[in-house]
Amino acid sequence: MFVWCLLSLLALLPVTTGINPGVEVKLTQKGLEYGRQMGIASIQKKLSSIKLPDISGTEHVDPIGKVQYSFTGMQIVNLGLPTSALGLVPGTGVSLSIDNAFINLHGNWRVKYLRIIKDSGSFDLAVSALTIRTTIAVMSDETGRPSVSMTSCTADVGSVKVKFHGGASWLYNLFSSYINKALGSALQKQICPLVAESIADVNPHLKTLNVEAKVDKYAEIEYSMVGSPVISNASIDIGLKGEFYNTGQHKEPPFSPAPFSLPSQNTNMLYFGVSAFTINSAGFVYHSAGALSLNITDDMIPSSSPIRLNTKTFGTFIPQIAKMYPGLMMKLLVKTVKQPIVTFQPNNVTVQTSGLVTAYAIQPNSTLSPLFDLNLDGSISARVYVTELKLAGYLTLNKIDMSLAKSYVGPFQVTSLENIFTMVLKVAVMPKVNACLKEGYPLPTIGKMHLVETQLQVLKDYLLVGTDVQFTE
Ligand SMILES: *[C@@H]1O[C@H](CO)[C@@H](O)[C@H](O)[C@H]1NC(C)=O
Ligand SMILES: *[C@@H]1O[C@H](CO)[C@@H](O)[C@H](O)[C@H]1NC(C)=O
Ligand SMILES: *[C@@H]1O[C@H](CO)[C@@H](O)[C@H](O)[C@H]1NC(C)=O
Ligand SMILES: *[C@@H]1O[C@H](CO)[C@@H](O)[C@H](O)[C@H]1NC(C)=O
């Protein structure tokens, strides 16, 4: 039975295990330190909820005889976790240690003896030198999100001191050792389960990882983990799929991610490495969806331009056009013929595109008469930046190479059209592409996360984003 459960659990694990990630995330010591602060605040809150049950009983005391006692209304009045450390346990997870913790409680005591004598008062209990040691495993859950669980915990109630108010001193002696032990162990029993709860409370936050980040009507990005986190003595490294897919249907591109590893930097809390594969998977999706095509009409050319999309302007370069189609407006259909390829070199992002342009004359009855088809190879340089929680870009056209694919109007010199096409691409196509790229593509995020002190470097084959994070509840 158990084996079957285990097997069905394994079947639920992402089938992607073992493939190279497209995006790598590194959580540094600085990031862990931020996690420690949040974790300690959470544990402190949990421990403050400790409720000690009322205790009552009878004890035989010479020469008085039977003494009935009760301790009631015990409440925590002060609790502190001044010293704590979160460390990496290579291969396993993290260790959390809390030292010198203290808890102060206030309560009431009551005794009855010799049948009729009653006495009561209050007491203060001070627990100090409390230590808690726990280890936490970091794993991937069945949805490809990270998850944590407590794997061990020990709590040691260092020293317990009680101070009684009211009553006779012989009573103090009676209670002291008893109450120290009873309350000490009642406390100790509650600590580890509450710490475990605090740790488990992290999981709902981790579950908010956008493993299927929606981009637009064409695309989404998959950010599920491709394997277990790699925990070294310096960082926790998580490999994410980092692949664009067309919305709803996950068709693989004809290329796959190359392995890469992030440099061991540690000035920021978090590093994201976004591979060229991830960006190119976007190109594949948009090209395959036919989204990389555009009709260019004259109204897209600034009115200040002397060059117009009509047979008069084009007729000055290709006289047949003016003769065959006098006085007509034109339209250009530009589309990619294969997916654009992005290359990352240190401080240099370039995009190679291959497209086809078809020029039409627009007849008065709106029929389109084809004039020619041109092959177009463009070299584009890109600037990439992080905005909010997104990666955005801005493209600049460097150079185009054109060749004639087909003419419907007889032979002509393609080079004569180079300037006019460069101008049209710059004023009509690039602004549209840049408007899309400005919208940005979501990075992997958890909860209400904000990036601060963010910097981006272009390295060989990937982008490195270093950032600090802040969470708002
Ligand atoms: C961390 O691990 C690396 C490689 O395994 C090792 O060279 C280095 O000495 C270790 N550092 C510490 C502080 O243990
Ligand atoms: C361009 O125009 C043609 C003809 O009007 C139309 O069939 C096509 O869908 C348009 N393409 C785009 C990308 O708008
Ligand atoms: C960027 O790289 C491309 C090719 O990878 C190269 O042609 C170009 O000169 C480089 N640009 C700069 C500014 O280094
Ligand atoms: C539109 O006009 C052109 C040129 O006058 C003609 O060749 C074509 O048949 C017309 N198309 C329709 C659908 O009327």
Side-chain angles (χ1 to χ4, degrees), residues 176-193:
S176 282
S177 69
Y178 174 77
I179 196 175
N180 286 6
K181 221 181 276 159
L183 294 182
S185 80
L187 262 178
Q188 182 163 341
K189 266 191 218 126
Q190 296 196 36
I191 290 172
C192 279

Side-chain angles (χ1 to χ4, degrees), residues 343-350 352 379 381 398:
T343 311
F344 295 135
Q345 295 291 337
N347 300 315
N348 180 343
V349 183
T350 50
Q352 291 295 330
S379 166
S381 58
N398 289 336

Side-chain angles (χ1 to χ4, degrees), residues 35-46:
R36 182 192 64 82
Q37 290 168 19
M38 293 201 297
I40 287 296
S42 154
I43 290 173
Q44 174 141 2
K45 208 167 151 201
K46 276 274 185 233

Side-chain angles (χ1 to χ4, degrees), residues 237-378:
D237 291 56
I238 295 174
L240 304 179
K241 194 148 195 216
E243 182 166 345
F244 281 73
Y245 284 108
N246 21 11
T247 307
Q249 55 180 109
H250 284 198
K251 187 179 162 213
E252 295 298 330
F255 50 86
S256 52
F260 71 109
S261 57
L262 305 186
S264 50
Q265 301 196 7
N266 52 19
T267 45
N268 282 119
M269 295 179 185
L270 207 58
Y271 289 87
F272 296 105
V274 180
S275 66
F277 164 82
T278 297
I279 309 295
N280 284 325
S281 70
F284 175 74
V285 166
Y286 288 101
H287 168 70
S288 305
L292 303 181
S293 67
L294 183 66
N295 281 315
I296 305 170
T297 44
D298 187 63
D299 56 314
M300 292 158 73
I301 311 286
S303 56
S304 58
S305 166
I307 292 175
R308 308 305 328 167
L309 268 191
N310 59 28
T311 53
K312 184 161 175 265
T313 296
F314 277 73
T316 59
F317 303 102
I318 310 168
Q320 309 90 290
I321 289 179
K323 275 201 209 98
M324 294 167 70
Y325 302 102
L328 296 184
M329 297 310 287
M330 286 172 58
K331 168 166 162 169
L332 304 174
L333 173 59
V334 186
K335 62 178 186 198
T336 49
V337 291
K338 54 183 188 222
Q339 67 151 113
I341 300 289
V342 177
T343 311
F344 295 135
Q345 295 291 337
N347 300 315
N348 180 343
V349 183
T350 50
V351 187
Q352 291 295 330
T353 56
S354 300
L356 184 75
V357 185
T358 305
Y360 299 95
I362 307 171
Q363 300 285 359
N365 63 8
S366 301
T367 300
L368 298 175
S369 301
L371 304 175
F372 54 82
D373 294 338
L374 294 181
N375 298 315
L376 217 150
D377 287 310

Side-chain angles (χ1 to χ4, degrees), residues 443-463:
L443 288 165
T445 56
I446 279 172
K448 294 208 175 99
M449 182 170 136
H450 300 276
L451 304 186
V452 285
E453 307 284 338
T454 305
Q455 47 211 330
L456 184 145
Q457 296 172 62
V458 181
L459 300 174
K460 180 158 167 44
D461 298 336
Y462 68 98
L463 302 170

Side-chain angles (χ1 to χ4, degrees), residues 90 232-234:
S232 70
N233 60 9

Side-chain angles (χ1 to χ4, degrees), residues 400-444:
I400 56 169
D401 286 323
M402 300 194 317
S403 63
L404 187 64
K406 182 168 188 170
S407 175
Y408 302 87
V409 294
F412 63 90
Q413 275 293 315
V414 174
T415 46
S416 63
L417 293 176
E418 244 157 49
N419 288 340
I420 195 168
F421 269 94
T422 304
M423 186 283 287
V424 166
L425 292 176
K426 279 187 176 162
V427 303
V429 179
M430 298 311 280
K432 290 234 183 286
V433 174
N434 283 328
C436 291
L437 294 177
K438 196 178 173 203
E439 293 295 313
Y441 302 90
L443 288 165

